[in-house]
Amino acid sequence: MSATDKLSLRMHTEAEGGSFAKGNVSHTAERADNDHANNADDSDSERAPRTLRDAPAKSDRTPAAKKPNRRDNKKRSKSSNKDTDNNKKAKKREPDAIEKEILAKSEKYQRGLKLTMGDDKPAAIKVRSKKAQPKIEHEKRRREIAILDAARSEMLLTEQAGYLEAEGEMERTYKVTQDQLADSLDINSRAKIFDLKLEEFGPYVMDYTTNGRHLLLGGRKGHLATMDWRSGRLGAEFHVRETIRDVCWLHNENLFAVAQKKYAYIYDHSGAEVHCLQKHVEPTALGFLPFHFLLASTGMTGRLMYQDVTEGRIIGEHKPGYGPNHVLKVNPYNAVVHMGHGNGIVTMWSPRQSQPLAKMLCHKGPVQAMAIDRSGTYMATSGLDGSLKVWDIRNFKALHEYSTMRPAQSLDISQRGLLAAGWGANVTVWKDALVTKVDAPYMKRLLPSTTVSDVRFVPYDDVLGYGHSSGLSSIVIPGAGEPNFDAYVANPFETTKQRQEAEVKQLLDKLAPETIQLDPTFIGRLDPRSRDQRQLELLESKREQYAKDKADGKYLDNEVKNKMKGRNSTAKRFARKRLNNIMDLKKLNEIENEEKKKLESEAKRKKIPESEKGALGRFYDEKRSTA
Amino acid sequence: MKIKALSRSTTEYTRETKSDIQLLPRNIDPELHPLERAREYKRALNAAKLERMFAKPFLASLSGHIDGIYAMAKNPWDLDSVVTGSGDGELRMWSLSSQETIWRAPEAHRGIVKGVCNIPGGETDRFLSVGTDKLAKVWSRSESSVASDGVTPETVATYTGKHAFSGIDHHRSRPLFATSSSLVEIWDVDRSEPITNLTWGADTINTVKMNQTEVNVLATCGTDRSIILYDLRTNSPLAKLVMTLSTNAISWNPMEAFMFATANEDHNVYTFDMRRMDHAVNVLRDHVSAVMDVDYSPTGLELVSGSYDRSVRLWDVNKGHSRDIYHAKRMQRVFCVKYTLDNNYVLSGSDDSNLRLWRARASQRMGAKSNRERGAIEYAEKLKDRFAYVPEVRKVLQHRNVPKGIKKASRTKQDMLQSRKRKEENERKHDKSGKARVPERKKAILGVTNK
């Protein structure tokens, strides 16, 4: 027994010993009191509806209101009439504006549960078990309360999203330049507009950490730097002396991966090389799956590699077979990796499945850039055919098409759904472009005599950073970032201690690669098949496997007899097995001979004349055939 | 042009001094929490693994008795003390917090101590014991002087019966107690002779238990496989229930007066509703040998049982299988078990003369917890509950290392039960009269007679 256990036991003896005696003496009486108190509570709660949904629909849920108890009616005289009147009023009352607003807000918290008002309830789920029915009902009610509470808690969010709105009819938001914008911004935001002139080693690719605080930039000609971009504090800066094609932060600002000329490398915050990932040959694009700790890359070989960065194992290696590749993006909603290919196809991958989860033909030419929004609903692609398309990736359908003068080199979608495209020397941003087809862009910027190579929105901020041939630019796009961050997900004001703790938690919650599917909510779902059906299907699959294995010559009866003299060896056995499949003249003759023999024997059997058989004739054939 | 861009001031989001707490804003928008189902599943799996990692139920083994422990009583007025009686007639009182004997009577009875019970009220620390020597004795730690260690202290009172006693229990409020031998006798504490005899059938009674809530009802079980309920107000039996095998022990549910649990020779624990005994309310089956004792937790939601298969099992009263099994290498046949009245510990007395103290929830730790710790535990509990049906989590949660003997026996038993069931099913199938299936809850019941 541990010390604490001992202590607690003593504490219990002292603290509860006395009261227990009392409790036992008036045991029954007290319980009766409790019941009474509970009833009182219940009736109170009936009067003050706990949930929004209860308020209008209350009267048809509580039995007391629906069918007033006779006894109660007798007991209560006039006062009860008042109550029932109130109830009637409550039944008729329409939800007020606030309630309607909350109900509208609750839409996104529903997670598949259909929440409706009042009488138009969805049909009850048919469950055979009488025991389970009330449980399901109870659980449903609890979930409804949770959904409404979640919607109500939006009230507690402190920050408002940014905006840029035209006031007069003649004003156009896309005509606002960054200089004009800077004049009407506070000093804090004004500092976010800057251009870094790095003309020697460009064009630049870049990446922001998930909390948007740290920036990683890599110049094509080998320049690498990390910085806390808001304060302008430089982390590490060095030169790798070879081509850099892509850069990518890992789970936090302590590690980052770089796609270099021959291999991918991992560096730490000080710029020291931690790993050389030799399995990633000539990588061109990198992606990191933060919940699975997987680094995905593709390259000149056209393969998709998944490497677990915590233990270093290669988790998956897929060959789409469409040639060299440079477009790879991770879907933040379900961690599926999207790849854009040279033939205009976009494929979606899970590390454990060698075949793509889905294929979409998106463009008539090579896919040039891609972006996926955080809800996993929309994907934007641009192709060398000059089109920029928005797709609904839940049902793989094209929604809208936008045009850029030249094919967009890079795309990104901000947290609040703004679409940015970098083409030529231009960056164009559209607002609400995913949901509807908009006519005019929201904002744009031209930096003459440059070529934009990479556009990235900063998470949790109204800033768009983009790398180009002569350095890096940062511009303010009001309304781009999520205003209210969750400190348990990503905290822009994270301290070192918090980062360390978060890292431990992240590692504890590391997901298995098998959890990556198009629908990430499949875990814990009920299997609708019956037990017999499941067993039948299992049996069927086993049978198929057996048939396939047998055809492949996995079992003994398929093995070729050893006719050769000399020593047996695995290599020779293998060679013989291979030989078995090759048709040569000798073998053909053998087969022919065998068939001939067969025919002859059959002919012999038929030759016995009827007269010889006599009365026992009908047994002849059977006897012969069995012999 | 209306313009606003996000601009968070650092002073609002960071603390001023080190003594301030860090601000951690939350936003529960599902879009900010991708893969939440998968992550919660992983957390549930981790929680399940941690639970099994911290599952160390055994706390202490209290040794002192020379023979096996066959009787035990917990004191509702003192959480710390417990009284045990052993096969050599010795009585011991233990302090659970200091884990030592605080009082003992080496020769309390000649022969086996068959039952002990506390005298309720809390004014005195008196308790009763009965033995096979036909004596019922009242003891008190504070009233009886002890000459020296190893000398039996004097009794407060002694009652002489006609037969060897097999069990004893005291009335909840009145100065009455009931003993069982070949008949049930009701004694007034002030009289030397029993005031009433209760019989129905003439066989030996195994044990007697008084209902502590519905105080005038008492239950007995006899070697003729019967369970008989008596009413003290009319001094007459209420009902008799005969089962296929005899019952070893009875425990009344402390929260639902009409419910009781029985420990049966057929390896099962049955719970009954005394108002309707033609079927058991629940059959709890996991033991592989006769169940020797059973006890309700003070909440009435859980049960503990000790068995001849050298194991202690803990049950949820509403479920058919045990939620945990406790065993120790040196623990022999378990003859008495008790759930402590703080709902946190379990006691078992066994043939190997040791009293063992276990945690009621194997991975739970006592002691003060910080708010965060409590929150984390609650979250983990909820997750485990939510993903309990997912195969991987269920596997971790349900797996127990069981002694080889029990494992083998349970496998054999399973085969046996299955073949029996198959046979029954075949018989039913080929029976022309169209026999209906007998529910499991009725199978062990031969008959009920109500008076």
Side-chain angles (χ1 to χ4, degrees):
Chain A
M1 193 186 209
S2 69
T4 50
D5 277 321
K6 263 189 205 174
L7 187 74
S8 75
L9 197 68
R10 244 187 231 136
M11 273 167 56
H12 279 291
T13 50
E14 282 166 15
E16 285 180 18
S19 63
F20 197 92
K22 264 189 236 160
N24 251 355
V25 171
S26 58
H27 199 249
T28 44
E30 213 174 73
R31 207 193 292 173
D33 277 351
N34 272 339
D35 283 352
H36 193 73
N38 282 340
N39 285 340
D41 282 350
D42 284 350
S43 58
D44 275 353
S45 63
E46 271 168 33
R47 255 170 250 142
R50 162 103 177 75
T51 68
L52 175 84
R53 197 190 155 180
D54 282 350
K58 187 74 216 175
S59 42
D60 53 31
R61 182 124 1 102
T62 56
K66 198 178 177 185
K67 295 176 194 167
N69 207 332
R70 269 186 204 170
R71 237 197 311 166
D72 286 0
N73 272 354
K74 275 179 198 168
K75 270 184 193 171
R76 294 181 200 167
S77 49
K78 286 168 189 174
S79 61
S80 68
N81 287 338
K82 255 186 192 174
D83 282 358
T84 46
D85 281 354
N86 281 340
N87 272 336
K88 272 178 194 169
K89 269 180 200 170
K91 196 177 182 179
K92 280 176 189 173
R93 198 172 65 86
E94 279 290 304
D96 62 25
I98 300 172
E99 286 170 354
K100 272 183 182 165
E101 193 191 326
I102 287 170
L103 209 72
K105 273 182 188 171
S106 71
E107 193 72 28
K108 67 176 168 188
Y109 298 104
Q110 292 189 6
R111 295 180 174 90
L113 183 83
K114 193 96 175 141
L115 190 68
T116 47
M117 290 288 289
D119 293 329
D120 43 296
K121 275 190 227 166
I125 308 161
K126 273 185 188 169
V127 180
R128 222 187 285 162
S129 158
K130 271 186 188 168
K131 259 187 188 173
Q133 273 166 1
K135 274 185 199 165
I136 289 169
E137 274 303 309
H138 174 72
E139 196 61 26
K140 235 169 100 183
R141 236 169 288 144
R142 272 191 48 223
R143 283 192 60 187
E144 283 174 13
I145 292 169
I147 288 168
L148 289 168
D149 282 350
R152 242 177 249 129
S153 76
E154 274 190 15
M155 198 160 51
L156 301 171
L157 300 177
T158 50
E159 297 277 347
Q160 302 292 322
Y163 49 79
L164 174 64
E165 285 168 13
E167 276 178 320
E169 269 188 23
M170 297 304 289
E171 277 185 336
R172 295 283 179 268
T173 52
Y174 58 81
K175 287 194 172 159
V176 178
T177 63
Q178 288 295 312
D179 288 342
Q180 287 167 344
L181 202 64
D183 290 338
S184 43
L185 288 176
D186 61 332
I187 195 163
N188 194 2
S189 303
R190 215 178 295 158
K192 292 172 190 168
I193 304 172
F194 59 84
D195 290 308
L196 291 181
K197 277 200 178 142
L198 305 159
E199 288 176 342
E200 250 176 285
F201 304 111
Y204 277 84
V205 285
M206 56 198 289
D207 192 21
Y208 291 99
T209 49
T210 44
N211 59 16
R213 193 153 111 180
H214 293 270
L215 167 69
L216 168 65
L217 58 141
R220 183 85 181 177
K221 298 191 184 78
H223 176 216
L224 259 181
T226 67
M227 62 191 289
D228 182 345
W229 65 275
R230 283 196 192 90
S231 66
R233 212 171 35 237
L234 201 63
E237 188 182 15
F238 58 102
H239 208 284
V240 296
R241 297 185 183 186
E242 58 181 23
T243 311
I244 289 175
R245 297 203 189 89
D246 200 5
V247 290
C248 170
W249 285 108
L250 299 191
H251 61 288
N252 61 23
E253 65 267 25
N254 268 350
L255 290 171
F256 57 91
V258 180
Q260 287 174 212
K261 185 171 177 263
K262 203 168 177 189
Y263 303 123
Y265 289 80
I266 291 180
Y267 299 95
D268 74 355
H269 63 287
S270 66
E273 183 187 318
V274 182
H275 296 292
C276 169
L277 310 175
Q278 293 186 343
K279 295 272 182 185
H280 303 251
V281 183
E282 291 187 84
T284 50
L286 298 173
F288 184 66
L289 283 60
F291 299 112
H292 303 81
F293 281 86
L294 295 179
L295 181 70
S297 85
T298 186
M300 302 310 282
T301 56
R303 287 180 189 179
L304 170 63
M305 301 287 291
Y306 283 97
Q307 187 155 24
D308 188 326
V309 295
T310 57
E311 46 189 25
R313 273 190 306 136
I314 296 287
I315 297 297
E317 184 179 355
H318 304 321
K319 298 162 194 162
Y322 298 128
N325 228 323
H326 70 279
V327 185
L328 180 147
K329 281 281 153 81
V330 180
N331 186 338
Y333 168 69
N334 53 14
V336 165
V337 166
H338 293 217
M339 276 167 79
H341 302 285
N343 54 0
I345 286 179
V346 168
T347 49
M348 302 176 190
W349 298 88
S350 164
R352 286 293 195 214
Q353 269 148 297
S354 57
Q355 294 301 311
L357 301 170
K359 278 189 206 174
M360 292 167 71
L361 179 61
C362 293
H363 291 280
K364 285 170 192 164
V367 180
Q368 188 68 7
M370 190 171 17
I372 302 149
D373 91 316
R374 65 170 177 174
S375 67
T377 313
Y378 302 105
M379 174 174 79
T381 58
S382 78
L384 273 185
D385 58 356
S387 61
L388 197 170
K389 291 179 183 170
V390 177
W391 304 84
D392 187 337
I393 39 178
R394 292 171 301 181
N395 49 18
F396 313 110
K397 276 189 181 146
L399 294 175
H400 328 290
E401 197 166 328
Y402 293 90
S403 62
T404 47
M405 304 287 271
R406 276 202 265 157
Q409 181 70 23
S410 174
L411 292 173
D412 199 20
I413 295 173
S414 84
Q415 286 173 318
R416 295 191 70 237
L418 269 59
L419 173 65
W423 51 279
N426 293 277
V427 171
T428 311
V429 179
W430 288 273
K431 196 183 182 186
D432 306 322
L434 304 174
V435 188
T436 54
K437 167 88 173 97
V438 289
D439 298 330
Y442 177 57
M443 292 186 84
K444 53 186 185 180
R445 195 193 193 202
L446 168 74
L447 214 59
S449 71
T450 59
T451 316
V452 176
S453 52
D454 201 5
V455 291
R456 297 280 173 133
F457 280 105
V458 181
Y460 307 104
D461 209 343
D462 284 346
V463 174
L464 173 77
Y466 64 98
H468 46 78
S469 52
S470 53
L472 180 120
S473 294
S474 170
I475 57 173
V476 168
I477 308 288
E482 169 65 47
N484 295 292
F485 61 88
D486 190 325
Y488 285 85
V489 175
N491 187 358
F493 300 96
E494 199 171 47
T495 61
T496 313
K497 265 268 170 305
Q498 283 171 340
R499 190 194 65 222
Q500 288 164 348
E501 201 171 322
E503 190 173 22
V504 173
K505 293 269 185 230
Q506 270 173 308
L507 283 167
L508 278 174
D509 291 350
K510 183 186 148 192
L511 300 180
E514 287 80 9
T515 57
I516 301 178
Q517 290 297 334
L518 282 176
D519 179 10
T521 62
F522 75 100
I523 292 165
R525 278 250 186 91
L526 199 68
D527 190 350
R529 296 174 300 171
S530 72
R531 193 166 152 238
D532 293 341
Q533 198 183 347
R534 246 178 294 160
Q535 276 177 349
L536 207 73
E537 275 173 35
L538 190 74
L539 205 73
E540 201 64 30
S541 71
K542 270 185 184 169
R543 239 178 236 157
E544 269 172 32
Q545 186 65 34
Y546 174 77
K548 204 182 149 221
D549 286 347
K550 198 168 182 185
D552 290 349
K554 204 179 170 187
Y555 299 110
L556 271 177
D557 54 342
N558 252 25
E559 257 184 25
V560 192
K561 249 188 181 175
N562 185 9
K563 289 178 191 166
M564 250 178 7
K565 277 184 183 175
R567 295 179 90 183
N568 200 358
S569 77
T570 323
K572 275 185 186 170
R573 222 180 303 151
F574 184 66
R576 272 203 307 283
K577 203 185 275 180
R578 293 286 293 274
L579 262 176
N580 198 29
N581 294 334
I582 298 166
M583 288 291 167
D584 57 358
L585 199 67
K586 194 180 155 199
K587 206 163 189 183
L588 283 174
N589 285 339
E590 263 176 30
I591 291 170
E592 223 166 83
N593 283 341
E594 236 168 70
E595 274 182 7
K596 223 184 239 172
K597 269 183 195 169
K598 218 179 181 180
L599 285 173
E600 271 172 19
S601 70
E602 268 178 24
K604 249 186 202 172
R605 203 168 50 184
K606 276 177 190 166
K607 259 181 191 171
I608 305 166
E610 282 298 313
S611 56
E612 261 181 48
K613 286 179 189 172
L616 297 171
R618 63 199 169 99
F619 297 109
Y620 263 82
D621 277 353
E622 264 178 49
K623 216 177 173 185
R624 274 181 182 268
S625 60
T626 50
Chain B
M1 200 62 77
K2 282 203 288 188
I3 297 171
K4 190 217 162 210
L6 274 182
S7 169
R8 299 189 189 89
S9 78
T10 319
T11 49
E12 261 177 47
Y13 284 93
T14 50
R15 58 180 180 182
E16 275 175 39
T17 61
K18 276 200 165 177
S19 56
D20 289 349
I21 52 163
Q22 298 279 7
L23 183 70
L24 293 172
R26 300 304 310 266
N27 184 357
I28 52 174
D29 187 346
E31 284 187 7
L32 279 180
H33 303 264
L35 295 159
E36 55 182 358
R37 184 81 71 93
R39 283 155 74 201
E40 290 214 317
Y41 161 72
K42 182 68 202 279
R43 283 178 195 159
L45 189 60
N46 283 349
K49 284 177 183 170
L50 284 177
E51 186 201 298
R52 294 322 303 160
M53 245 171 73
F54 286 112
K56 301 271 183 286
F58 180 68
L59 285 175
S61 168
L62 314 185
S63 59
H65 278 298
I66 301 165
D67 206 338
I69 299 173
Y70 300 117
M72 196 194 307
K74 53 188 177 184
N75 187 349
W77 285 268
D78 183 9
L79 265 181
D80 189 33
S81 76
V82 86
V83 180
T84 55
S86 75
D88 60 347
E90 188 187 31
L91 282 175
R92 269 175 191 261
M93 187 187 276
W94 307 86
S95 162
L96 292 180
S97 55
S98 59
Q99 297 175 8
E100 60 191 14
T101 309
I102 48 174
W103 176 91
R104 76 191 187 105
E107 286 162 11
H109 289 279
R110 309 185 73 172
I112 307 166
V113 179
K114 287 297 245 181
V116 279
C117 75
N118 274 284
I119 294 178
E123 299 93 15
T124 59
D125 64 345
R126 290 182 183 179
F127 62 94
L128 278 153
S129 69
V130 288
T132 46
D133 57 355
K134 302 178 190 176
L135 294 177
K137 291 178 176 178
V138 183
W139 307 88
S140 169
R141 187 187 159 206
S142 56
E143 290 169 52
S144 58
S145 55
V146 184
S148 64
D149 192 36
V151 177
T152 309
E154 280 178 15
T155 56
V156 179
T158 307
Y159 305 90
T160 315
K162 292 191 183 70
H163 312 278
F165 288 121
S166 60
I168 186 167
D169 202 12
H170 202 281
H171 191 274
R172 180 74 182 76
S173 48
R174 285 159 63 192
L176 295 176
F177 64 89
T179 57
S180 61
S181 48
S182 60
L183 70 165
V184 177
E185 289 165 316
I186 310 293
W187 303 71
D188 188 324
V189 285
D190 297 327
R191 301 190 184 191
S192 57
E193 292 292 314
I195 52 171
T196 323
N197 293 338
L198 300 167
T199 48
W200 189 356
D203 228 315
T204 317
I205 311 292
N206 280 339
T207 185
V208 57
K209 274 281 151 66
M210 285 197 157
N211 192 330
Q212 301 293 309
T213 317
E214 197 57 63
V215 290
N216 290 310
V217 178
L218 60 102
T220 65
C221 55
T223 47
D224 60 346
R225 304 172 291 167
S226 67
I227 296 167
I228 308 172
L229 300 180
Y230 294 100
D231 194 332
L232 280 182
R233 287 165 295 198
T234 57
N235 282 332
S236 62
L238 288 170
K240 184 178 190 174
L241 163 72
V242 183
M243 303 189 69
T244 46
L245 286 176
S246 69
T247 302
N248 286 323
I250 291 177
S251 173
W252 286 98
N253 187 327
M255 300 307 279
E256 293 172 303
F258 42 84
M259 300 286 284
F260 63 93
T262 64
N264 203 295
E265 276 288 318
D266 65 1
H267 310 183
N268 296 342
V269 175
Y270 296 89
T271 57
F272 285 101
D273 185 335
M274 75 179 207
R275 299 166 300 184
R276 211 179 133 76
M277 296 203 293
D278 58 338
H279 66 268
V281 173
N282 198 3
V283 185
L284 309 163
R285 40 177 53 166
D286 257 346
H287 278 300
V288 289
S289 191
V291 187
M292 302 311 290
D293 198 6
V294 65
D295 193 30
Y296 267 103
S297 75
T299 58
L301 296 173
E302 296 203 329
L303 275 169
V304 60
S305 67
S307 162
Y308 208 67
D309 62 12
R310 304 186 181 91
S311 70
V312 173
R313 279 185 189 266
L314 289 140
W315 315 77
D316 185 335
V317 284
N318 294 324
K319 293 196 176 139
H321 290 278
S322 64
R323 73 163 167 82
D324 215 338
I325 175 172
Y326 294 165
H327 53 86
K329 211 169 188 182
R330 298 180 184 183
M331 186 162 79
Q332 294 301 314
R333 321 275 183 205
V334 184
F335 280 89
C336 48
V337 285
K338 287 278 181 276
Y339 218 116
T340 62
L341 287 162
D342 58 355
N343 203 28
N344 284 329
Y345 301 94
V346 162
L347 290 158
S348 72
S350 46
D351 237 358
D352 60 320
S353 78
N354 283 315
L355 176 68
R356 285 188 173 77
L357 181 62
W358 311 85
R359 289 193 179 95
R361 280 158 293 277
S363 56
Q364 193 189 35
R365 293 295 179 270
M366 290 298 146
K369 289 182 190 73
S370 70
N371 239 349
R372 280 177 71 184
E373 205 176 346
R374 215 177 308 138
I377 290 170
E378 276 167 16
Y379 182 51
E381 283 303 316
K382 189 73 207 167
L383 285 177
K384 274 183 278 180
D385 190 38
R386 200 172 153 198
F387 287 94
Y389 298 102
V390 181
E392 215 172 332
V393 178
R394 190 177 53 194
K395 202 175 105 192
V396 174
L397 282 177
Q398 289 193 342
H399 180 259
R400 297 288 183 279
N401 273 328
V402 177
K404 207 176 175 184
I406 294 181
K407 191 157 193 179
K408 261 189 177 170
S410 66
R411 213 173 288 153
T412 323
K413 195 185 153 190
Q414 206 178 352
D415 286 347
M416 198 177 73
L417 288 177
Q418 258 173 7
S419 72
R420 196 179 290 167
K421 201 169 183 182
R422 195 168 52 236
K423 189 178 174 187
E424 267 170 29
E425 197 66 9
N426 286 342
E427 274 175 2
R428 199 187 59 80
K429 226 186 272 174
H430 298 288
D431 191 66
K432 274 178 192 163
S433 57
K435 252 198 299 185
R437 278 196 194 92
V438 184
E440 291 293 316
R441 296 185 297 168
K442 280 189 177 173
K443 262 185 192 163
I445 296 167
L446 285 185
V448 191
T449 320
N450 289 303
K451 268 214 168 167

